[in-house]
Amino acid sequence: MMTAHFPGSKISIVLDPDGVRRFRSTERQIQPTRILAVVERVPYTRDHSGSKHAYVPFSAAVVLDGHLAQRAERGLHFDFAVTLCDNGLLPVVTLSGTCRTGELGTAILDSIAEFTGTSRIASTASIDLLISNRDGLGLNDLSSNPVFCVNPSWLFGVNLEQATQASQDALAPRIESYRSRDAVVAYTDGSLPHHGKDRGAGAMVTMQGHWATQISPKNFSRNPLMAETTGALLALRYTPADSDLAIFSDSQVLVSSINDIASGKLQCRQAHHAAIEIAIARRKGSTRAVWVRGHNGNCYNEAADRMAVLMARHFNAGINPAQTHSLMQMIIAEELAGLTLAV
């Protein structure tokens, strides 16, 4: 466990003969009546090889725009740091650890209990917990835990920058180990039913645990390339603009179009080029496309293919979107069942 001490705190820390760090004398309590803790956490996923990938939040606009979409938390992991403060709001010590999603509250309590030498703290609302909500992850567990009073009103306006910075510093070595791999990796596909009057659909699934599907716009001509483009546009438009993006597609024509536009080497112009060009222009991160052979056992590609087919068939048949959404979740679970990924 990583620890960091701070000078000037009103609480003294001692190393007892049994090797456990505890609060000194009167500050030590079997069940502390009140603790102020500042928490910083960084989510990440693991791919099939076990490598860590920084979690990149997916734009909420994909849901607001009415597409079938989901950002699930199952499979996420957290690196976290918790800084304990004294009654004078001065940081005492910073602890760090790792846990899975859904276990953040327990992990925080265990880290405090290990450090102080107490049993796990169980007093209702005995810990005032200050935690940011930049991406909305990891808060359900904390909010439902009766031990925590998350972001209590009395904390607002209080300067806790030193404690927050301490938590961030404790996480820095962990973040650095996978920051270079924070690009969004998206697999996209499209489907166009055989009937000429029907609309096509596109789908996308990312290694960061996002998926989305969309019916092709009305102004798209009804051919397979427009359906493939629909899937790629989901990735282009809704990946955070600052994040690098790699789109994997089994359409060589689409891959060439994306790479030509991204590199400024576009020679000809077809109906789908304008939509791709606009989507790439809004991005600050790099954009590239990679060809992957279709139906060759790649679970991400297979998931995108099945979702695009399902979306197109259900839309054109007028099937209830709630049923479609439920089946999408089943497809993700089936295709990516073997991965320790957020799915």
Side-chain angles (χ1 to χ4, degrees):
M1 180 180 296
M2 184 183 299
T3 62
H5 297 267
F6 302 88
S9 172
K10 297 180 181 179
I11 296 180
S12 299
I13 302 297
V14 296
L15 182 65
D16 282 354
D18 59 4
V20 177
R21 296 172 299 276
R22 293 187 172 94
F23 296 128
R24 183 191 295 275
S25 62
T26 58
E27 297 292 350
R28 184 197 308 176
Q29 301 179 37
I30 300 301
Q31 294 291 347
T33 56
R34 207 73 182 168
I35 291 177
L36 172 60
V38 180
V39 175
E40 183 75 16
R41 82 280 181 274
V42 177
Y44 65 90
T45 62
R46 292 189 182 274
D47 61 22
H48 59 279
S49 68
S51 299
K52 293 174 70 172
H53 295 261
Y55 177 83
V56 180
F58 197 58
S59 172
V62 70
V63 178
L64 297 176
D65 286 351
H67 309 312
L68 287 181
Q70 177 171 308
R71 181 202 65 184
E73 296 183 21
R74 183 171 64 85
L76 278 176
H77 297 69
F78 292 105
D79 284 337
F80 70 91
V82 52
T83 299
L84 304 181
C85 300
D86 61 20
N87 292 333
L89 303 182
L90 291 175
V92 178
V93 65
T94 297
L95 314 171
S96 64
T98 300
C99 64
R100 295 185 178 184
T101 184
E103 301 174 356
L104 183 58
T106 300
I108 291 173
L109 289 176
D110 284 344
S111 67
I112 296 174
E114 179 184 350
F115 176 78
T116 61
T118 69
S119 59
R120 181 184 295 171
I121 300 165
S123 302
T124 302
S126 61
I127 298 180
D128 290 323
L129 202 65
L130 180 65
I131 182 170
S132 63
N133 188 26
R134 290 186 301 271
D135 50 28
L137 298 173
L139 289 186
N140 290 336
D141 176 34
L142 300 178
S143 299
S144 62
N145 192 316
V147 178
F148 299 122
C149 182
V150 180
N151 296 332
S153 58
W154 71 268
L155 282 175
F156 294 114
V158 176
N159 186 353
L160 293 175
E161 290 183 3
Q162 188 178 8
T164 302
Q165 186 61 49
S167 293
Q168 293 174 348
D169 292 344
L171 286 179
R174 299 169 183 258
I175 298 172
E176 193 62 33
S177 66
Y178 55 89
R179 176 170 286 170
S180 61
R181 301 177 62 91
D182 64 355
V184 172
V185 179
Y187 285 77
T188 70
D189 212 332
S191 175
L192 180 70
H194 296 300
H195 306 292
K197 64 179 181 179
D198 290 342
R199 299 265 291 277
M204 173 208 66
V205 58
T206 77
M207 290 182 65
Q208 279 74 22
H210 316 293
W211 63 261
T213 58
Q214 177 187 8
I215 291 297
S216 297
K218 289 183 177 180
N219 63 325
F220 271 22
S221 59
R222 293 175 183 178
N223 66 57
L225 180 56
M226 296 300 102
E228 297 277 359
T229 301
T230 301
L233 287 174
L234 285 170
L236 285 166
R237 289 174 177 169
Y238 300 116
T239 296
D242 293 334
S243 299
D244 293 341
L245 172 63
I247 298 175
F248 286 75
S249 171
D250 56 17
S251 169
Q252 293 180 329
V253 175
L254 177 63
V255 167
S256 296
S257 296
I258 293 174
N259 287 333
D260 287 347
I261 292 173
S263 62
K265 299 178 180 178
L266 182 64
Q267 298 294 326
C268 61
R269 183 168 296 276
Q270 300 179 26
H272 64 295
H273 289 150
I276 295 174
E277 194 168 33
I278 293 172
I280 290 179
R282 62 165 285 275
R283 309 199 68 256
K284 297 179 181 178
S286 67
T287 303
R288 66 186 180 95
V290 182
W291 179 75
V292 59
R293 187 180 298 278
H295 305 293
N296 198 38
N298 184 295
C299 60
Y300 302 103
N301 181 254
E302 293 295 335
D305 174 76
R306 289 178 61 186
M307 287 192 294
V309 171
L310 180 68
M311 185 67 171
R313 289 178 176 175
H314 276 208
F315 177 84
N316 290 295
I319 295 176
N320 188 333
Q323 181 180 349
T324 307
H325 188 274
S326 177
L327 291 175
M328 293 287 183
Q329 293 177 307
M330 291 178 59
I331 289 173
I332 291 291
E334 292 172 1
E335 293 293 346
L336 307 184
L339 301 180
T340 54
L341 181 71
V343 296

